[in-house]
Amino acid sequence: MDKVAQMLEVEQNNFARSLNKKVQDFRDQMQQPETRREFDLYDPDALKKDQPARVCDNDPRCGPASLQKLAGEDLNKQEREKLQEQLTKKWLTEQKQERDRVLTQRKYADNLFDKKRVEMDDRALHLAHLEEECRKSINLATENFNRVQAAEMAERQRLQKQQEEDDNYAEIYNHLTGDILTENPASAISCFGPHRVVTDRWKGMSPEQQAEIRRIQELQRQENQRLKEEARQLEEEWEKQRTLAARAGMVVEQEEETFKQQLRKRLDTYNQQLAREIGR
């Protein structure tokens, strides 16, 4: 997510830089101060370009209110009317050019706004797709976590049932191999010493029987050790999966929130900048 945000930020900066350069180039080429109709009002070289009140009899600047000509001295009427017509045509041409420049600039700004809006819509769709992918990943991780928990619970129940069955078998075996049913030779030991036995209780025990008892006891001990080790491993694996799932969920949620905040901030900044450029 950080890499996507960085790429979007770089692209946004490049677009803003390109837009500012195009606007400045348009101003430098098409909006020079000398081309404005009212430039003579604030021309810094106006005094240098100024002329006397009357240069000659054909001076077109000397009108009726100039007090430079007497009544009936309109000797340059044709030139004056021609000059007035040329000035009027020039003013109309300049007004038309100014209006065309404004329309062109407005059309250019509208096109840029439409393109940027389409681009932002595409980015919004892309971000929605990324959000859907993140949601799918979270759901998949949750399903895997639940599946692991269910498997662990089933395995725990199986082990518990196996333990109960083993305990029952052990209890049955203990009864079967107890002193009462097997007539344990130890019960036939006489109180007068270990070298003497009670004759009505003693049945004797062979070495094979003794070895078999010791072998079964060893198997039981190994089985109990194995069950304890399996239970410990399952518990450790379950704890590890739960921690990883929780951490992944928190990281994805934080990155998604940070990315949304950055995107909203960039959109607000861009809209404000675009509004200022259009307002100019």
Side-chain angles (χ1 to χ4, degrees):
M1 299 297 290
D2 292 340
K3 186 174 182 181
V4 173
Q6 291 177 359
M7 293 174 63
L8 289 175
E9 184 177 1
V10 172
E11 186 177 359
Q12 182 75 19
N13 294 333
N14 292 335
F15 179 79
R17 192 180 300 108
S18 177
L19 178 61
N20 294 332
K21 185 176 183 302
K22 291 180 180 179
V23 172
Q24 188 62 36
D25 293 339
F26 179 81
R27 291 173 178 173
D28 294 340
Q29 296 176 5
M30 307 300 295
Q31 295 181 345
Q32 293 294 329
E34 293 81 4
T35 60
R36 298 180 183 177
R37 184 179 57 186
E38 65 277 12
F39 177 71
D40 58 333
L41 298 178
Y42 54 86
D43 187 3
D45 298 330
L47 296 178
K48 297 179 181 179
K49 299 177 182 178
D50 196 8
Q51 297 179 358
R54 182 175 182 179
V55 178
C56 62
D57 294 336
N58 297 326
D59 192 351
R61 297 178 296 111
C62 297
S66 64
L67 297 180
Q68 301 295 323
K69 288 184 179 182
L70 299 177
E73 288 187 336
D74 192 5
L75 302 178
N76 299 322
K77 179 179 180 180
Q78 295 182 353
E79 289 78 2
R80 177 176 54 78
E81 291 178 350
K82 183 176 180 181
L83 180 61
Q84 290 178 349
E85 182 179 357
Q86 292 178 354
L87 290 176
T88 302
K89 186 182 297 184
K90 180 180 178 182
W91 291 344
L92 293 175
T93 302
E94 290 177 352
Q95 290 179 355
K96 183 177 181 300
Q97 291 177 353
E98 182 69 19
R99 184 170 61 252
D100 292 340
R101 284 197 297 269
V102 172
L103 292 176
T104 301
Q105 186 175 5
R106 183 177 301 173
K107 184 178 179 181
Y108 178 73
D110 292 339
N111 291 333
L112 289 180
F113 179 77
D114 293 337
K115 291 180 180 179
K116 192 59 181 178
R117 183 175 59 185
V118 172
E119 182 182 356
M120 297 304 296
D121 292 340
D122 294 339
R123 290 183 181 177
L125 293 175
H126 180 65
L127 292 177
H129 178 69
L130 292 178
E131 184 177 359
E132 183 65 23
E133 292 295 330
C134 292
R135 188 179 296 107
K136 289 181 180 179
S137 300
I138 294 175
N139 293 334
L140 181 60
T142 304
E143 291 178 0
N144 292 334
F145 177 72
N146 294 333
R147 191 180 299 110
V148 171
Q149 280 189 324
E152 290 178 354
M153 183 175 295
E155 182 66 18
R156 195 178 298 109
Q157 292 176 355
R158 186 189 69 80
L159 293 175
Q160 185 178 0
K161 183 178 180 182
Q162 182 68 30
Q163 184 66 33
E164 291 177 356
E165 292 179 354
D166 293 340
D167 293 340
N168 294 333
Y169 290 152
E171 184 178 0
I172 294 173
Y173 177 79
N174 291 332
H175 285 297
L176 292 176
T177 58
D179 294 339
I180 297 176
L181 297 179
T182 60
E183 297 180 353
N184 188 3
S187 63
I189 298 176
S190 174
C191 61
F192 295 103
H195 60 282
R196 299 180 66 180
V197 296
V198 180
T199 56
D200 57 344
R201 300 179 184 176
W202 175 252
K203 296 298 183 178
M205 180 179 290
S206 65
E208 291 79 8
Q209 292 175 337
Q210 297 176 0
E212 182 65 15
I213 291 174
R214 285 191 288 271
R215 185 183 67 80
I216 292 174
Q217 291 177 346
E218 180 64 19
L219 291 177
Q220 289 179 348
R221 186 190 66 78
Q222 294 178 0
E223 181 67 16
N224 290 334
Q225 184 68 25
R226 182 183 65 81
L227 293 177
K228 291 180 180 179
E229 183 65 19
E230 289 181 356
R232 185 185 64 79
Q233 292 179 359
L234 287 176
E235 185 67 19
E236 291 178 356
E237 183 64 22
W238 180 82
E239 184 67 21
K240 181 179 179 181
Q241 292 293 332
R242 183 177 63 183
T243 303
L244 291 177
R247 188 178 302 170
M250 291 177 63
V251 171
V252 171
E253 183 178 0
Q254 292 177 357
E255 291 180 351
E256 182 179 359
E257 185 65 21
T258 302
F259 184 75
K260 287 182 179 179
Q261 293 178 359
Q262 292 178 355
L263 179 61
R264 286 196 295 268
K265 184 176 180 181
R266 294 194 189 98
L267 288 176
D268 294 341
T269 303
Y270 174 76
N271 290 333
Q272 293 176 2
Q273 182 179 0
L274 186 59
R276 289 196 298 267
E277 293 295 335
I278 294 177
R280 292 179 181 178

